[in-house]
Amino acid sequence: MTTKTENRLPTAAYVNGKFISGHKKFNVINPATGEVIASAPDLGVADCKKAIDDAHTAWPGWRDTDVTQRSRIVQKWYELLMAHKDELARTMTLESGKPLSESLAEVDYGASFVEWFAEEAKRAYGESIPATKTGQRLITIRQPVGVVAAITPWNFPLAMITRKVAPALASGCTVVLRPASQTPLTALMVAKLAHQAGFPPGVFNVVTGKDSKGMGEELTTNELVRKISFTGSTEVGRTLMANAARTIKKVSLELGGNAPFLVFDDADIDAAVAGAITGKFRNSGQTCVSVNRFYVQDGVFDAFAEKLTTAVKELKVGNGLDNGVQVGPLINRDGLEKVKAHVEDAIDGGARLLTGGKAMEGLFYEPTVLADVSPSALLAHEETFGPVCALFRFKTEKEGIAMANDTEFGLAAYFYSRDVNRCWQVAEQLESGMVGINTGLVSNAVAPFGGVKQSGIGREGSKHGLDEYTEIKYLCFSE
Ligand code: SIN
C-alpha cells in the first residue's frame, strides 16, 4: 500500500470546543487507490466518556438559549457547509470512493437538513387540550431530551451526520458523534465548521476511533446519554438497542434494507430503466435504500432486461475524482467479497448473467445484471450493497407484491406503473416506510425517512425528525 497524505484534510477530533489530536492515530484509506490519505485520532472509551460529561455540562446552557439564537447558529453552520462545498465533496470522495458528482450532491443534501432544522426548531409546538374538570387548563410543551449520542455510517459521510445532529442541536440537545472509522475526515471538517458557526463548547463533540464496540457500548450505556441515534446494519442496531434498554434511552435506528423495485406490464419501460439506474447505482449500490431486488412482470421482462443491460454497460467505473465516473469502488474487501459471493450464488442457482459478473482491480466490481434469479438466492434475502441488478420474474400483481414483501426488512420500495388505481393499491400494500412511485429516488430533507419491520425505528428529516429529539411534557394547571 502506498501513502499519499493530503495536506488540507482535517486531522483533529473535537471535544468541549477544543481540537484534540489524540496520542494514537489510525490511517484513513482511499478505497479507489488503496493509499493512506490521512490519519485521524484513535480515541477510546475514556475519551467518549469525557465527551459525554462535557456534553452533559453544556446541556442546560444550550437548552435555555432562546430558540432564535440557536436557530441562527445552526443557520450559520448551514452557510459554512455550503461555502465549503468543494472541499467537503473532495474529502468525501477521497475517503469513501463515491464519484465526485455524488459527493457534491451529498453536500447539498446534507446541508439541506441543517437549513431545514434551523427553521423547524422554531415550530416545536405544544398543544392545548380541552380539560375535563372545571378550573383546569391542560397543555403540552416540547423539551429537548438532553445528551444525544449519534453513531453514523461511512456510506453518507456528511448527510447521515447532519440528519441526526442538526435536529438535535436545533431543538436544544447536546451531541456526541462517533463517525464511521472508514470516513472520519468529513466529520472532522463538519466539526470545524460547527466551531466556526459558534456553538458553545461541549454542545457538539466528535470522537473518532477504531474501537467501534467499546465506544458504541459507552455511548449506549452511559446514564448521561438520553437518546441514541444510529444508522447502520440491523445486526449492530439490535445490539445497540439492547444496550440502550438498560437505561431506557430514547432510540432512533435507521437500519438495513432489501428494497424491491417492481416493474408492471403497464410501466413506461424507459422511465423504469432510468429509475433503476438511479435507485441501484447511487454510491455503487451502497445505500440502505438501494434497490436490491427487481421484480419484473412477465410481459415486459425481456424488454426491461435488455434496456437495463444496455444502460448498465454504459456506466463508467473508476476513481471518483476522475471525470465522468459514475460507479466507484466498494468500501473495503469485506464489501467486495459479499458482492462476489452473492453473484456466484445466484449463478449457481440458475441465474443468467447479462453483463458484468466479475471483480475488477482493487475494490472495484463490474456493474452487473442477472436475470431469472431464483427466489431462494442470497440476493433475495440479504442486502448486497454493491452494483448488482438481480431480476426476478412475476406473473400477477398479487404475486409481485407478495414477493416484494417476503423479507424481514422494510425501508424503501419502488415501483413503476401508469395505472392510477394500481399505484394507490400497490403503494398501500408494500410493507416499507417509504415508497417511490415512478421514481428511483425518494430522499430529501422535508420528507420522513425511516423503515418498518427490522429496518428501524423512528423517522429522520421532515417535521417528524424534530420529535425524535424532544419529549412531550404535559402541564396540568388547576385554579
Ligand atoms: C442510507 O443509505 O442510510 C441513507 C440513504 C439516503 O439518505 O438516501
Side-chain angles (χ1 to χ4, degrees):
M1 187 187 295
T2 52
T3 302
K4 189 176 170 210
T5 319
E6 298 260 334
N7 289 333
R8 286 160 54 86
L9 296 171
T11 51
Y14 183 60
V15 177
N16 204 23
K18 295 196 178 63
F19 294 95
I20 52 173
S21 303
H23 303 300
K24 283 197 299 171
K25 301 267 189 197
F26 64 94
N27 287 337
V28 184
I29 314 278
N30 179 346
T33 61
E35 290 169 341
V36 175
I37 48 168
S39 60
D42 194 4
L43 304 183
V45 173
D47 304 287
C48 253
K49 195 168 166 350
K50 158 132 188 12
I52 293 168
D53 287 342
D54 292 333
H56 186 250
T57 306
W59 183 48
W62 184 243
R63 175 193 64 200
D64 298 339
T65 300
D66 69 59
V67 68
T68 331
Q69 176 61 6
R70 283 203 310 262
S71 166
R72 269 196 203 114
I73 297 175
V74 177
Q75 177 67 24
K76 176 80 189 152
W77 188 30
Y78 161 75
E79 283 155 19
L80 286 164
L81 289 167
M82 291 307 287
H84 292 80
K85 180 171 174 172
D86 291 342
E87 217 176 313
L88 281 161
R90 192 179 152 77
T91 304
M92 255 190 277
T93 291
L94 282 170
E95 64 181 354
S96 75
K98 69 172 63 182
L100 189 61
S101 56
E102 289 194 30
S103 296
L104 288 164
E106 186 176 339
V107 179
D108 289 336
Y109 178 48
S112 72
F113 291 103
V114 182
E115 185 182 39
W116 169 260
F117 284 112
E119 283 302 317
E120 206 54 20
K122 300 177 199 163
R123 296 185 267 275
Y125 300 124
E127 58 192 335
S128 160
I129 303 163
T132 52
K133 283 196 188 132
T134 309
Q136 285 197 332
R137 311 279 185 276
L138 315 183
I139 65 158
T140 64
I141 58 171
R142 298 205 75 102
Q143 294 188 307
V145 292
V147 177
V148 171
I151 302 179
T152 53
W154 48 263
N155 63 345
F156 287 86
L158 174 68
M160 295 306 98
I161 292 175
T162 53
R163 195 153 81 181
K164 298 176 190 320
V165 175
L169 296 179
S171 63
C173 299
T174 55
V175 176
V176 178
L177 164 72
R178 182 191 179 273
S181 56
Q182 293 89 341
T183 56
L185 306 177
T186 307
L188 298 179
M189 202 172 270
V190 164
K192 228 168 135 179
L193 299 174
H195 182 77
Q196 285 172 29
F199 290 101
V203 166
F204 180 38
N205 307 276
V206 181
V207 285
T208 52
K210 289 289 269 183
D211 182 9
S212 55
K213 189 161 180 286
M215 291 168 99
E217 202 163 301
E218 181 62 32
L219 291 169
T220 48
T221 55
N222 189 310
E223 269 196 89
L224 299 181
V225 173
R226 290 312 320 142
K227 155 95 194 182
I228 171 93
S229 181
F230 169 72
T231 294
S233 72
T234 296
E235 195 191 339
V236 174
R238 199 174 279 124
T239 305
L240 297 180
M241 190 175 175
N243 287 348
R246 290 194 232 160
T247 47
I248 317 291
K249 296 189 199 314
K250 207 170 157 81
V251 173
S252 295
L253 301 170
E254 199 260 274
L255 306 176
N258 183 7
F261 183 111
L262 295 108
V263 184
F264 289 99
D265 280 346
D266 58 50
D268 174 336
I269 299 301
D270 292 322
V273 168
I277 296 290
T278 309
K280 178 71 245 186
F281 291 96
R282 181 169 168 237
N283 200 15
S284 309
Q286 301 172 108
T287 89
C288 299
V289 289
S290 290
V291 180
N292 208 46
R293 301 167 291 149
F294 288 90
Y295 293 109
V296 189
Q297 202 162 10
D298 235 2
V300 291
F301 190 96
D302 292 339
F304 179 79
E306 191 188 320
K307 287 189 175 198
L308 180 66
T309 304
T310 304
V312 168
K313 280 182 179 163
E314 280 166 13
L315 291 171
K316 185 171 171 193
V317 182
N319 185 326
L321 289 180
D322 293 344
N323 257 348
V325 163
Q326 293 157 292
V327 181
L330 278 308
I331 189 70
N332 56 24
R333 185 68 38 198
D334 285 351
L336 181 69
E337 291 304 326
K338 185 173 191 189
V339 173
K340 279 162 71 178
H342 276 199
V343 173
E344 277 163 27
D345 168 78
I347 292 172
D348 288 350
R352 288 186 288 126
L353 182 65
L354 301 187
T355 186
K358 284 197 298 296
M360 301 162 76
E361 215 190 316
L363 297 176
F364 293 90
Y365 195 89
E366 289 178 345
T368 296
V369 182
L370 295 161
D372 294 317
V373 180
S374 156
S376 62
L378 286 175
L379 273 164
H381 304 283
E382 291 174 21
E383 200 174 24
T384 305
F385 242 54
V388 179
C389 303
L391 274 53
F392 304 79
R393 206 180 274 269
F394 73 91
K395 288 198 169 59
T396 64
E397 182 181 300
K398 196 167 167 217
E399 187 194 9
I401 292 169
M403 288 171 98
N405 287 340
D406 185 19
T407 168
E408 71 246 36
F409 300 104
L411 190 58
Y414 310 85
F415 70 90
Y416 274 71
S417 166
R418 282 183 283 202
D419 178 326
V420 175
N421 290 338
R422 168 174 273 165
C423 284
W424 283 109
Q425 281 157 16
V426 175
E428 284 171 9
Q429 286 177 55
L430 287 170
E431 295 170 359
S432 64
M434 299 171 282
V435 183
I437 304 153
N438 295 322
T439 177
L441 183 66
V442 295
S443 315
N444 60 65
V446 303
F449 189 105
V452 299
K453 294 159 90 177
Q454 294 188 39
S455 285
I457 294 176
R459 292 294 177 268
E460 296 192 312
S462 81
K463 64 174 184 169
H464 305 290
L466 205 64
D467 296 346
E468 304 284 339
Y469 298 92
T470 59
E471 292 283 15
I472 294 172
K473 184 180 274 179
Y474 155 53
L475 310 178
C476 176
F477 282 81
S478 232
E479 283 173 2

